[in-house]
Amino acid sequence: METWADLVTRARTCVACRLAEGRHQVVFGAGDPSALLMLVGEAPGRDEDLAGEPFVGRAGELLTRILAAVGLSRDQVFITNTVMCRPPHNRPPEADEQLACRPFLEAKLRVIGPRMVVLLGAVATKALLDDPTASITRLRGTRHLLQGRYYYPTFHPAALLRDPAKKRPVWEDFKRIRRDYDRLAAGLELDSDG
Ligand code: URA
């Protein structure tokens, strides 16, 4: 079976889509490879492409602060994106690019085995809830149980930077995420309230 190190090496040399052409670095993801909680964003931006780390720019700083506000450090969770290479001019990743990267995302889910996955924004929500018509405004605040994992759509931190009115709902989402995290970490199951 492929080890974590093999998976990282395979990702770093991937040329499965056109995004490989313009990248400086593959942004595989960062954090605890046995985390209970994984967060999935959209795609690396300029700062991430240069650093080789997810969420290190302004949106990343905000994400770090949101996590800290519920008592979680970046080292305790695993942070990644729907695609691992920066799309040109920070455009959203296209469907075929997401599809090309999907086996890596599935492999991370399989190896890490998180019980909870936070979907940061519309792109991650549509991809992982497998619903191209999903609306993040309608879905945030809901919880979805799929194959033993709980998925939590919420607004992307970059959306909060553009629209501070989204901060309050995201804070509510993360308070719930923290409550669920504590129950699952204690070996308890969650209520089936959606
Ligand atoms: N936005 C994302 O969606 N992902 C990153 O890694 C950085 C910014």
Side-chain angles (χ1 to χ4, degrees), residues 62 65 155 160-161 163-172:
L62 179 55
R65 286 207 302 277
F155 292 124
L160 271 60
L161 292 172
D163 177 9
K166 292 195 165 76
K167 281 190 182 164
R168 167 63 58 182
V170 168
W171 173 235
E172 296 302 327

Side-chain angles (χ1 to χ4, degrees), residues 12-26 49 84-88 91 96-97:
R12 295 210 193 288
T13 52
C14 178
V15 287
C17 83
R18 67 184 80 80
L19 297 183
E21 290 160 25
R23 74 177 176 227
H24 287 97
Q25 298 197 60
V26 172
D49 174 60
M84 298 186 292
C85 299
R86 182 194 183 196
R91 63 157 170 76
D96 62 333
E97 296 159 354

